[in-house]
Amino acid sequence: MNKINNIQITVQCQHLPVQALQEDKYAFAYHVSIINNSPQSVQLINRYWLITDGNGKKTEVHGAGVIGQQPYLQIGQEFCYSSGAILDTPVGTMQGYYELQSADGNWFEAPIAVFSLAVAHLVN
């Protein structure tokens, strides 16, 4: 969980064994909760992810919003969404940040702490 600028971000992930598109690929779903605990409304404008597989291969993903949306979060409001990543290895990590704009026009980043992507029973 991360709580910077009073934006609380939690991420949960799971391996999707039947979802891999090809052999030797590993599909993961991640579920994100963003709660606006700041004293004003905010809008999520952009996202940035750094995905690292078990071999150290890094992939960067950045773009507008999340899942095709640039949600507004009123004070105290929560926005949840799910998405996914496909890795070449059964373990990896993700980290990143959201770029948000507050109601007074200020831009800021809300970092997303490193979290693991791992096939169950491979990591103790």
Side-chain angles (χ1 to χ4, degrees):
M1 175 174 55
N2 182 33
K3 196 170 183 179
I4 301 288
N5 294 311
N6 292 314
I7 303 298
Q8 180 181 329
I9 301 168
T10 55
V11 182
Q12 297 178 333
C13 63
Q14 68 185 66
H15 174 238
L16 301 172
V18 297
Q19 297 297 319
L21 300 175
Q22 313 171 17
E23 270 186 48
D24 301 325
K25 299 286 183 183
Y26 301 87
F28 297 90
Y30 56 90
H31 311 283
V32 180
S33 166
I34 306 164
I35 301 174
N36 178 14
N37 292 318
S38 73
Q40 58 184 309
S41 61
V42 299
Q43 183 180 15
L44 191 159
I45 304 295
N46 296 307
R47 73 185 179 288
Y48 169 80
W49 290 111
L50 175 62
I51 306 166
T52 306
D53 74 13
N55 294 326
K57 176 184 168 190
K58 297 182 184 304
T59 304
E60 294 182 290
V61 178
H62 34 96
V66 292
I67 62 166
Q69 300 178 46
Q70 291 179 311
Y72 288 93
L73 285 87
Q74 299 301 323
I75 298 167
Q77 187 176 12
E78 178 179 25
F79 178 80
C80 298
Y81 75 96
S82 297
S83 192
I86 297 178
L87 301 181
D88 292 334
T89 61
V91 296
T93 61
M94 285 182 67
Q95 62 188 343
Y97 58 84
Y98 297 127
E99 290 180 334
L100 297 110
Q101 185 174 25
S102 59
D104 62 9
N106 289 319
W107 284 69
F108 63 95
E109 291 181 359
I112 304 161
V114 175
F115 60 93
S116 295
L117 303 170
V119 174
H121 310 297
L122 286 182
V123 178
N124 294 329

